Amino acid sequence: MTPIEALLRRKIPHRILQRFLQTKQSSSSPSCSNDGNIKSSSNKSIEKILIANRGEIACRIMKTAKRLGIRTVAVYSDADRDSLHVKLADEAVHIGPPPAKLSYLNANSIVEAAMRTGAQAIHPGYGFLSENAEFAQICEDGGLAFIGPPASAIRDMGDKSASKRIMGGAGVPLVPGYHGNDQDIDLMRSEAEKIGYPILIKPTHGGGGKGMRIVQNPHEFIESFLAAQREAAASFGVDTILLEKYITRPRHIEVQIFGDKHGNVLYLYERDCSVQRRHQKIIEEAPAPNVTNEFRLQVGEAAVSAAKAVGYYNAGTVEFIVDTISGNFYFMEMNTRLQVEHPVTEMVVGQDLVEWQIRVANGEPLPLTQSEVPLSGHAFEARIYAENVPKGFLPATGVLHHYRPVPVSETVRVETGVEQGDAVSMHYDPMIAKLVVWGESRSAALVKLKDCLEKFQVAGLPSNISFLLRLSNHWAFADGQVETHFIELYKDELFSDSSSGRLGEEGHEAAKFSATIVAACLCKMESSVMKENHGGAQSSLSLWYSDPPFRVNYCAQSDMELEWENEYNIGVPLHMKLTITYQRDGSYLIESESGESKSHTISIKVRQLDKNEFRIEADGLSIDVTSAVYLKGPIRHIHIWHGLQHHYFKQKVELELSGEDEAQDKHTSVVTAAHSPGSVVAPMAGLVVKVLVKDGEKVEAEQPIVVLEAMKMEHVVKAPSSGFIHGLQAAPGQQVSDGSILFNVKDE
């Protein structure tokens, strides 16, 4: 009896378990023909699927299922009760509290939900239980179709050490490394010495960059090894590690393969996923740029050989690391599931891979042969995350106060699992959406990508949209000169401080112009609100508060102060003072001052088209403007988009607070106020996993003090200088907010 079967017997209600076991006994297993190929013994097609996932991938699977007339069942945690994937499903089942190990990783609850709702199949999506061989096996044994590969293939390829041995036997080239079962830390350190630094530490199970560490020298090995083990255990439930030689100038190229239960396997060409941060992909494309047709054929055939070596069927991805210096490629791992980036492949081959998955699970053969697979145009995918780019891409949490993706079309897709007003929590991956575009050529697709990123609107929490724009506008990216160190290689250009030099001056002037637009739009909004509060009648307003306000022999004026939040100039907001004169024709004459620059005056006429939509006329230009305005404590946050510009401002406002709100505001003030020298604050909202010192203990500069975890990624908070720890406020298991004080380092 497997552990999951034992768990099912202990926890599932008897009547449901009996039905499950009866199904298991009565379901006929697939038969084998004389040539060894698996054939389905049942012609019954899947009519109802439970999706054992959340967010954008759950929504993506539901779209195809609905198009095929298949009913869907969602599962959700307490944190996802009102999520988009729950709303889109035909039915939804609650499976536990927010932590993934108590909900989306709870195989018992998910199988029970499938049986209760009469689902015939489970689609695991990606992540969570998608590469859990035991989960796939219990589905297969119980008569639930697992929409994915056989459990045996997941088992073989899920253990990266075992998969390396299998691939070596199949003749697929491998990177030198240690893939053994003995995890003794002294042995691992010895193996690292044999391989030669730098080395790559990787968990043997899972993916997504979680647990990966690049180790440059022996002094970093133990800390990196132990951190990788902890992160792997938290993410995948397995803490075994493998070591590999770290290739210094690599590309990450992967091949989409597909197999059916009749022994057919083909490849749907390759994707380049080299542009990464924190070992996670952020821009993918298909096909890979700057590769020859000969390379495409070789890497595709190697991927098919890898799949056949483990009797693979359904969707899978074989990942290769390509040495840009030698041109050689090496097997890295096989992801036995649908990939996050599968839409770029769909765009260039014109196929729905989720539909293929369902048809293969039904026992149908692949719809195409290798020679029939088309390759048309070029596609990009940009992953839009809630994250703080200047802080090292740390994940961010918060509410999507404003969320307006670009319109979709045949050549533009937006895969998302959130709506305006939803919260991005610390419990799950911080992805907001995937933007996917297609063009007839790489250059045409890149133009479309940049245009869509410029029009994609997110406000309420930090996002990586402007960074994705910088990436896509970079000359080396435009030339297809991509590698996994791309961001590090060009960091001076990608993270350039826009507050100095010619670009800084241009950026400053653009921000000043946006500030004047903000002032005009806020004035128009106040006028509209005032009119609404008086029944929509201008005549019922006092002359002094009409639009424009009446004054005897002069025009009414008001002052406004804004802070421009320059994303790449952390901690140095630019203060702008604006004087607004309400002119008798309804326009606004706005004088702006900021820093040492000269004051500038401009006349702006505003027409409000909708709550957040305006058309302004300034300097002979007519411009459409979108705004997003929301309050957090005593601060009004203002985002504005017009043309290719997006600016973010803050404005202090006077609020009359209730007792509860006042307490919250005081807490916010304590957290965000300027901290005393030596204070160390949480760089992100998260869970305290480990506290490595005691209060009063002497520490050295750069010594690890606290380990935080958010979205299953660990972040080590280190001492900024030598001294003594005082006021240690962090404890294991504690939730901390972004910017809250963790400890102080003092000289004595």
Side-chain angles (χ1 to χ4, degrees):
M1 183 184 300
T2 67
I4 289 183
E5 280 186 293
L7 188 64
L8 290 172
R9 287 185 182 277
R10 288 199 304 270
K11 296 189 176 180
I12 287 186
H14 180 73
R15 67 185 187 282
I16 298 176
L17 179 60
Q18 284 299 111
R19 186 174 64 187
F20 174 69
L21 294 175
Q22 288 169 6
T23 305
K24 173 179 175 178
Q25 292 164 3
S26 61
S27 62
S28 53
S29 57
S31 60
C32 291
S33 62
N34 292 333
D35 60 5
N37 290 336
I38 298 175
K39 293 185 177 179
S40 174
S41 59
S42 171
N43 292 322
K44 186 174 177 61
S45 295
I46 295 167
E47 297 178 358
K48 192 174 193 178
I49 296 173
L50 180 140
I51 299 155
N53 218 298
R54 64 177 299 281
E56 68 85 14
I57 187 59
C59 298
R60 160 72 188 91
I61 294 163
M62 287 174 192
K63 289 176 184 176
T64 291
K66 288 181 182 293
R67 180 173 59 78
L68 298 176
I70 298 171
R71 297 190 300 280
T72 57
V73 180
V75 292
Y76 64 92
S77 71
D78 292 337
D80 282 338
R81 189 176 299 275
D82 299 316
S83 292
L84 184 59
H85 79 280
V86 174
K87 297 174 185 177
L88 292 179
D90 296 299
E91 301 173 61
V93 181
H94 175 252
I95 55 171
K101 65 182 179 181
L102 301 177
S103 51
Y104 296 104
L105 288 171
N106 188 335
N108 170 62
S109 295
I110 290 170
V111 171
E112 181 182 345
M115 292 185 289
R116 277 184 168 160
T117 56
Q120 302 148 311
I122 292 180
H123 196 306
Y126 56 74
F128 296 129
L129 292 169
S130 63
E131 295 182 282
N132 186 305
E134 282 191 347
F135 180 64
Q137 190 66 59
I138 200 65
C139 291
E140 293 175 14
D141 292 348
L144 289 168
F146 181 78
I147 302 179
S152 59
I154 298 175
R155 195 173 293 111
D156 287 341
M157 303 308 285
D159 183 332
K160 292 183 176 63
S161 293
S163 68
K164 302 277 185 182
R165 293 190 290 269
I166 294 170
M167 292 302 101
V172 180
L174 301 176
V175 177
Y178 173 76
H179 314 124
N181 295 322
D182 191 338
Q183 297 285 296
D184 177 77
I185 193 165
D186 290 327
L187 172 69
M188 298 294 272
R189 185 164 52 180
S190 173
E191 291 294 331
E193 294 281 359
K194 292 177 186 176
I195 296 166
Y197 289 93
I199 63 161
L200 183 66
I201 293 177
K202 276 170 79 170
T204 59
H205 294 72
K210 295 180 175 68
M212 287 178 59
R213 297 288 190 280
I214 300 169
V215 185
Q216 299 289 349
N217 58 67
H219 303 295
E220 301 174 1
F221 183 82
I222 291 180
E223 181 186 332
S224 299
F225 179 81
L226 294 175
Q229 279 192 321
R230 286 195 303 269
E231 204 169 292
S235 299
F236 316 117
V238 180
D239 67 354
T240 52
I241 298 295
L242 63 82
L243 309 176
E244 287 182 346
K245 178 66 179 175
Y246 185 64
I247 295 175
T248 56
R249 297 290 300 272
R251 283 179 72 177
H252 180 126
I253 292 181
E254 62 187 31
V255 178
Q256 177 71 60
I257 61 98
F258 230 103
D260 61 26
K261 298 179 182 180
H262 305 277
N264 303 307
V265 181
L266 53 74
Y267 64 91
L268 298 168
Y269 304 109
E270 80 288 346
R271 299 183 286 256
D272 191 294
C273 309
S274 297
V275 181
Q276 305 177 8
R277 57 61 178 136
R278 290 193 286 111
H279 305 300
Q280 289 184 311
K281 310 157 189 172
I282 49 173
I283 293 185
E284 302 99 339
E285 58 183 301
N290 300 331
V291 301
T292 64
N293 288 330
E294 181 183 6
F295 175 90
R296 181 167 291 127
L297 176 64
Q298 289 175 351
V299 77
E301 289 179 344
V304 169
S305 297
K308 288 184 175 180
V310 291
Y312 201 90
Y313 57 75
N314 217 284
T317 296
V318 184
E319 297 188 346
F320 296 94
I321 189 165
V322 181
D323 189 335
T324 56
I325 297 172
S326 67
N328 295 329
F329 64 87
Y330 305 96
F331 173 81
M332 188 159 51
E333 62 186 42
M334 184 174 188
N335 293 312
T336 53
R337 54 172 166 80
L338 196 66
Q339 288 282 83
V340 177
E341 58 272 19
H342 75 274
V344 291
T345 295
E346 292 181 319
M347 296 293 259
V348 297
V349 300
Q351 302 293 318
D352 183 332
L353 298 191
V354 174
E355 180 179 348
W356 277 36
Q357 285 191 291
I358 295 169
R359 295 194 181 283
V360 167
N362 276 332
E364 298 177 30
L366 295 177
L368 299 174
T369 63
Q370 187 66 66
S371 62
E372 294 172 330
V373 178
L375 179 59
S376 174
H378 201 94
F380 286 101
E381 174 181 283
R383 302 190 191 188
I384 295 173
Y385 281 105
E387 63 184 14
N388 199 316
V389 174
K391 287 186 179 180
F393 302 96
L394 289 179
T397 59
V399 175
L400 284 163
H401 288 285
H402 178 86
Y403 180 54
R404 184 177 296 179
V406 292
V408 299
S409 65
E410 289 186 358
T411 59
V412 177
R413 288 168 58 172
V414 176
E415 306 287 353
T416 189
V418 295
E419 301 175 287
Q420 185 166 300
D422 285 353
V424 176
S425 81
M426 60 168 283
H427 298 289
Y428 312 116
D429 188 270
M431 183 186 289
I432 297 171
K434 299 183 314 196
L435 170 64
V436 188
V437 301
W438 179 92
E440 293 183 355
S441 64
R442 188 176 188 272
S443 58
L446 186 56
V447 168
K448 191 166 295 183
L449 175 67
K450 291 187 283 188
D451 180 61
C452 289
L453 284 170
E454 286 162 349
K455 296 174 180 175
F456 206 112
Q457 298 176 7
V458 171
L461 38 66
S463 82
N464 65 338
I465 293 176
S466 61
F467 182 75
L468 291 170
L469 259 171
R470 287 193 175 206
L471 272 175
S472 55
N473 276 302
H474 195 275
W475 65 267
F477 185 83
D479 288 346
Q481 297 179 28
V482 290
E483 57 177 273
T484 56
H485 299 307
F486 188 92
I487 293 174
E488 177 66 22
L489 192 61
Y490 297 107
K491 64 181 179 181
D492 290 342
E493 298 163 46
L494 295 172
F495 295 96
S496 60
D497 182 356
S498 58
S499 63
S500 59
R502 183 181 58 82
L503 290 177
E505 291 177 11
E506 292 177 359
H508 189 181
E509 289 304 311
K512 282 175 62 177
F513 181 58
S514 287
T516 61
I517 295 176
V518 164
C521 291
L522 286 178
C523 290
K524 179 58 71 173
M525 289 169 70
E526 287 177 4
S527 172
S528 298
V529 169
M530 208 172 290
K531 190 183 297 183
E532 284 179 17
N533 291 340
H534 287 76
Q538 172 85 7
S539 59
S540 63
L541 286 172
S542 162
L543 281 174
W544 309 106
Y545 297 101
S546 60
D547 185 20
F550 176 77
R551 297 292 185 272
V552 178
N553 298 326
Y554 71 96
C555 293
Q557 287 188 335
S558 65
D559 295 324
M560 185 181 296
E561 288 192 17
L562 298 174
E563 286 185 0
W564 172 37
E565 288 293 312
N566 182 355
E567 182 180 8
Y568 293 97
N569 197 12
I570 306 174
V572 191
L574 182 64
H575 293 264
M576 298 186 174
K577 295 182 179 180
L578 303 112
T579 301
I580 303 104
T581 302
Y582 298 76
Q583 300 187 101
R584 288 187 171 84
D585 64 354
S587 63
Y588 306 98
L589 189 67
I590 302 175
E591 182 181 4
S592 60
E593 295 180 22
S594 60
E596 298 178 357
S597 62
K598 295 180 180 179
S599 62
H600 179 70
T601 303
I602 187 172
S603 177
I604 299 180
K605 195 172 185 66
V606 182
R607 184 156 62 97
Q608 189 165 5
L609 306 176
D610 203 347
K611 181 181 178 182
N612 298 312
E613 304 293 329
F614 304 86
R615 179 163 294 142
I616 71 154
E617 293 180 19
D619 281 348
L621 296 174
S622 178
I623 303 171
D624 288 331
V625 174
T626 300
S627 70
V629 182
Y630 54 92
L631 287 173
K632 287 184 182 179
I635 304 296
R636 177 184 282 154
H637 298 256
I638 309 153
H639 292 256
I640 187 166
W641 293 266
H642 58 93
L644 305 181
Q645 300 291 329
H646 167 225
H647 289 97
Y648 171 33
F649 301 93
K650 290 181 181 179
Q651 180 190 27
K652 291 182 180 179
V653 293
E654 296 294 330
L655 296 176
E656 293 184 7
L657 302 174
S658 65
E660 182 180 341
D661 289 338
E662 190 171 4
Q664 176 63 36
D665 181 54
K666 286 180 180 177
H667 169 73
T668 303
S669 299
V670 170
V671 168
T672 58
H675 303 300
S676 60
S679 297
V680 177
V681 301
M684 62 182 182
L687 178 72
V688 178
V689 176
K690 204 168 184 180
V691 177
L692 304 170
V693 300
K694 294 180 180 179
D695 208 26
E697 188 172 326
K698 189 177 188 305
V699 297
E700 300 298 326
E702 294 299 304
Q703 180 177 333
I705 308 297
V706 175
V707 180
L708 296 179
E709 179 190 283
M711 288 85 169
K712 297 182 183 177
M713 298 294 290
E714 279 194 0
H715 181 80
V716 179
V717 181
K718 300 180 180 181
S721 60
S722 299
F724 293 87
I725 297 294
H726 285 276
L728 184 62
Q729 300 185 33
Q734 177 186 350
Q735 302 277 357
V736 296
S737 59
D738 184 5
S740 59
I741 297 176
L742 298 176
F743 57 88
N744 291 275
V745 179
K746 296 186 177 180
D747 293 337
E748 54 179 42

